[in-house]
Amino acid sequence: MTTAESAARAVPGRPGATRRRTPGRVRPLAYAALVASAVITGLSIAWLADPALSPFVSPVTPSLATLLLDPTAAALLALAAGAAGVALAALLARARAARPRSVAAGVAAGGVAITFSFLFGSMSSISLTGYLFGAAAVIAGLVTIGVTVVRAPRLGASLLAGLILLVATAVLWAGLNIDGVVAFAVTVGGALVAGLPGFAIVALGLISALVWAALAIMTLRSAGSGRLASWMVRHRKTITILAALGPLPYVVARASWVTPWPLFAPSTVHHDPAMLVTGLVIGAGATAASLLTLGLILPWGRVFPEWMPRIGGRPVPVGVAAVPGFIAAGILCIAAVPMLLTTVGRTDAPIDALLVNLVLPFWFWGPMLGLAVAAYVEWRALDREP
């Protein structure tokens, strides 16, 4: 390796440190992108042959494509994007490209990701993600409290006391009851089952967009100089704190639902236990998102806490934090565009549009979370280098 090549791979700010080559990591992503694009290509042909099957005719979760294009045009765009994705993914999977070619391929991969986002991304998709993640956060929180009560009693007692206070407040002030929990589970579960075929298509499109976005980033990264990576590592704490602030306005709004002064809530929230449960579950997910984001710069984001059974004290695999973090950032970024277009365009209620985008700042939260996760990956990569 020449001196120039060594310098290009060096991490600025850390003399002698070299960056690992990335094409080996690009290839699995290329194969995944190839499969996803091939599936969408085949489905697009079916949608054109039988429009009744098309998700663009009666969409479960309307996307920008369904708002701006007729179903046939949307299906043709999906076919073109899928076919282009198959060709580009095959090219990237075959061999390592030279730097100029990698830049072009990275830009093209980004274009495919944006096209799939346009076709399948919507605000409804992030609502579905919020419900599922919120429910998972509640279950994980209860398990965490149970484990810490046994293995870390001081921490467990504090968490248990906080949970009891929250539940007591919700029951006594806001009218939470078991019927509301059951009604929430039945309503959400029924909606998921009823819309499963449509949700499956949306999920396929979003996964394809995320895979292509990851492929674009990795391809461009392999051709980059590392200056952006160095900047992210230097400022990772500030970036991560800003990203952790993203869900907090929503947390504050939902927390107010258990008080006599609920913010951004239906007027019937204190008379509808199911609505209250909905707010608390999604608020729990937003709280968990903020805490997990802070984990990117806290010690337990590098080493599992000692109280965790079996894995306590072991290093956290980078992928455990990076993969879900990048997925979340991608979904937020995909939802940000339709959110802005559908709210800012409401000239009849500009204040409401502003408040919605401040309480749900996808336009800020998504990009900042993506930068925070990328900074975490680069920071952890330094630990693995000699």
Side-chain angles (χ1 to χ4, degrees):
M1 182 182 295
T2 66
T3 303
E5 290 173 331
S6 300
R9 293 178 55 210
V11 179
R14 181 173 174 176
T18 58
R19 185 176 305 285
R20 291 185 174 186
R21 295 179 183 270
T22 59
R25 302 176 188 176
V26 169
R27 188 162 294 161
L29 280 174
Y31 285 126
L34 176 61
V35 172
S37 299
V39 172
I40 289 180
T41 301
L43 289 174
S44 299
I45 295 174
W47 298 336
L48 290 169
D50 186 357
L53 300 175
S54 175
F56 304 116
V57 174
S58 299
V60 176
T61 56
S63 65
L64 289 178
T66 60
L67 296 176
L68 301 176
L69 302 175
D70 64 73
T72 300
L76 285 171
L77 180 60
L79 176 61
V86 169
L88 180 58
L91 177 66
L92 291 173
R94 285 182 59 187
R96 179 184 176 186
R99 177 172 175 173
R101 189 175 177 183
S102 294
V103 172
V107 172
V112 175
I114 292 172
T115 303
F116 284 149
S117 300
F118 172 77
L119 287 165
F120 302 102
S122 70
M123 290 186 294
S124 300
S125 60
I126 200 169
S127 298
L128 175 62
T129 303
Y131 282 119
L132 296 177
F133 183 73
V138 170
I139 296 173
L142 294 175
V143 172
T144 298
I145 291 174
V147 172
T148 54
V149 165
V150 176
R151 298 178 62 91
R154 183 175 300 179
L155 174 61
S158 300
L159 294 176
L160 182 59
L163 175 64
I164 293 173
L165 178 62
L166 175 62
V167 172
T169 303
V171 171
L172 298 177
W173 283 7
L176 177 67
N177 56 40
I178 191 65
D179 291 338
V181 177
V182 173
F184 166 79
V186 171
T187 301
V188 174
L192 288 175
V193 173
L196 189 58
F199 291 140
I201 295 298
V202 171
L204 172 64
L206 290 179
I207 291 172
S208 301
L210 294 173
V211 169
W212 274 105
L215 185 57
I217 292 171
M218 292 299 294
T219 303
L220 292 172
R221 182 175 180 267
S222 68
S225 64
R227 292 181 180 178
L228 177 60
S230 176
W231 178 86
M232 288 190 299
V233 171
R234 288 198 307 270
H235 301 284
R236 65 185 184 86
K237 291 185 179 180
T238 301
I239 294 171
T240 303
I241 291 173
L242 290 174
L245 293 176
L248 290 188
Y250 191 82
V251 172
V252 172
R254 289 300 176 258
S256 72
W257 285 24
V258 299
T259 73
W261 311 279
L263 301 173
F264 305 103
S267 58
T268 59
V269 66
H270 282 169
H271 305 287
D272 186 352
M275 180 64 69
L276 176 62
V277 173
T278 301
L280 292 177
V281 168
I282 302 179
T287 302
S290 183
L291 292 174
L292 291 173
T293 301
L294 289 176
L296 299 174
I297 56 173
L298 293 176
W300 51 269
R302 190 174 186 178
V303 178
F304 287 114
E306 293 289 346
W307 55 263
M308 298 185 72
R310 296 182 179 274
I311 60 175
R314 296 182 181 181
V316 176
V318 175
V320 170
V323 173
F326 278 129
I327 291 174
I331 292 174
L332 289 167
C333 290
I334 289 172
V337 176
M339 168 70 86
L340 288 171
L341 291 179
T342 55
T343 56
V344 174
R346 293 185 57 188
T347 56
D348 59 321
I351 300 300
D352 291 343
L354 176 62
L355 288 176
V356 167
N357 284 285
L358 290 178
V359 174
L360 295 171
F362 301 149
W363 53 272
F364 168 81
W365 184 10
M368 292 307 301
L369 179 58
L371 285 174
V373 177
Y376 172 84
V377 172
E378 297 294 342
W379 173 59
R380 292 292 303 276
L382 296 180
D383 292 342
R384 301 193 300 270
E385 293 176 353

